[in-house]
Amino acid sequence: MVEQNRPYVVCHMMSTIDGKIASGVKGVEILNDHFEIYTQVEHLLEAKAWLCGRVTMEMFAQGVGTPLPPLTKEVDSSDFIAPYNGSNFMVAVDTKGLLRWDSNMITLSNQPEKEHLIVVVTSQTPKDYLAYLQSKSISYVFGGQEEVDFGELFHKLKDKFHIDRLLLEGGGLLNGSVMAAGLVDEISLLVTPLALNKASAPSVFERRTDDVDVTKYSLFEVKQMDKDTVWLRYKKKV
């Protein structure tokens, strides 16, 4: 079998019975009572790298949108790979350069090893933000011109950081973008015994399109967890 030039991507999510991953109301959490199960399963998936969107990564950031130091040097459009130890990575998509950091390492409650932070940017990301990341010794990689090209991004994650397995834990838009690119190899879905019944609440996958493009998966594992939660695992049909 020919080795892929990108990581194996597992979309790991938790939802209500009707497929909602959040309430859609800021400050109102609906899945917190089951979060311990989510982190337990996350550990079982044995990944060394996580990919999340900007909104999700706000919980790890020092701030959002605060003023940056003035740009005092020229910054080119090359990837910046900061020195790091270990083999765990947290990949944050922040193409607008809004998140602020106090460290280039991220701590997860269920992981003994800290994760080296990698920020995904594009050619449109402000140069002063790139300089700011360099000053913090935070790695960043260009994922495209105006929008993220996930094929290009994943190739870089494999080539530059040797990431073989990646957990996709985004919001619906990030998950939907990776799905649209045909790059979700496996879905790990925890279904909780809740029904939100709210059309505007975000779902697991939320690509903004009028096209009908169905991706087929095969169920290969079902496991009942605590608190009437069910763990479903699907692999992409080839």
Side-chain angles (χ1 to χ4, degrees):
M1 184 175 67
V2 178
E3 184 180 6
Q4 293 188 104
N5 66 347
R6 63 171 180 85
Y8 182 85
V9 177
V10 181
C11 183
H12 177 52
M13 299 297 294
M14 181 168 62
S15 79
T16 61
I17 293 171
D18 47 341
K20 304 299 184 180
I21 59 175
S23 69
V25 178
K26 189 173 183 178
V28 178
E29 302 293 340
I30 58 173
L31 300 174
N32 276 0
D33 288 345
H34 299 80
F35 190 72
E36 183 178 345
I37 302 170
Y38 181 86
T39 56
Q40 173 190 347
V41 170
E42 185 180 54
H43 181 71
L44 294 173
L45 291 171
E46 298 182 335
K48 294 291 186 179
W50 291 258
L51 173 64
C52 299
R54 181 188 60 78
V55 175
T56 301
M57 289 304 296
E58 284 185 13
M59 71 177 72
F60 302 104
Q62 185 183 41
V64 180
T66 56
L68 293 171
L71 188 62
T72 59
K73 66 176 183 178
E74 184 176 345
V75 179
D76 62 21
S77 296
S78 301
D79 299 328
F80 176 74
I81 313 301
Y84 63 89
N85 294 315
S87 57
N88 283 16
F89 303 91
M90 177 66 79
V91 186
V93 179
D94 186 15
T95 60
K96 294 182 179 180
L98 295 176
L99 298 180
R100 307 291 182 258
W101 307 96
D102 60 2
S103 171
N104 65 355
M105 304 296 289
I106 301 294
T107 301
L108 297 180
S109 59
N110 64 329
Q111 297 295 326
E113 182 181 332
K114 290 185 177 182
E115 284 73 44
H116 179 71
L117 177 61
I118 305 169
V119 178
V120 179
V121 300
T122 68
S123 298
Q124 304 301 310
T125 303
K127 296 294 186 182
D128 57 350
Y129 186 64
L130 303 182
Y132 164 78
L133 293 177
Q134 289 186 19
S135 72
K136 292 285 187 178
S137 196
I138 296 173
S139 296
Y140 60 80
V141 293
F142 285 85
Q145 297 297 316
E146 296 184 5
E147 296 183 352
V148 177
D149 179 332
F150 287 98
E152 176 184 349
L153 170 63
F154 289 170
H155 173 74
K156 287 185 175 184
L157 295 179
K158 172 90 172 194
D159 182 59
K160 297 178 182 292
F161 299 95
H162 311 291
I163 296 174
D164 294 317
R165 188 176 179 87
L166 178 70
L167 286 191
L168 170 63
E169 299 181 331
L173 292 176
L174 176 59
N175 294 344
S177 296
V178 180
M179 173 69 75
L183 299 173
V184 178
D185 301 295
E186 181 180 325
I187 298 172
S188 166
L189 181 63
L190 285 163
V191 181
T192 62
L194 306 170
L196 182 60
N197 193 21
K198 182 182 178 186
S200 61
S203 302
V204 177
F205 297 100
E206 292 200 323
R207 182 187 178 199
R208 288 175 176 166
T209 180
D210 293 327
D211 298 336
V212 177
D213 187 11
V214 177
T215 306
K216 296 182 178 180
Y217 288 81
S218 297
L219 181 69
F220 71 93
E221 186 175 1
V222 179
K223 186 175 182 180
Q224 183 170 346
M225 309 296 287
D226 293 338
K227 298 183 178 180
D228 296 320
T229 298
V230 179
W231 183 20
L232 305 173
R233 299 184 73 184
Y234 298 88
K235 282 187 178 179
K236 186 179 179 182
K237 285 189 174 182
V238 294

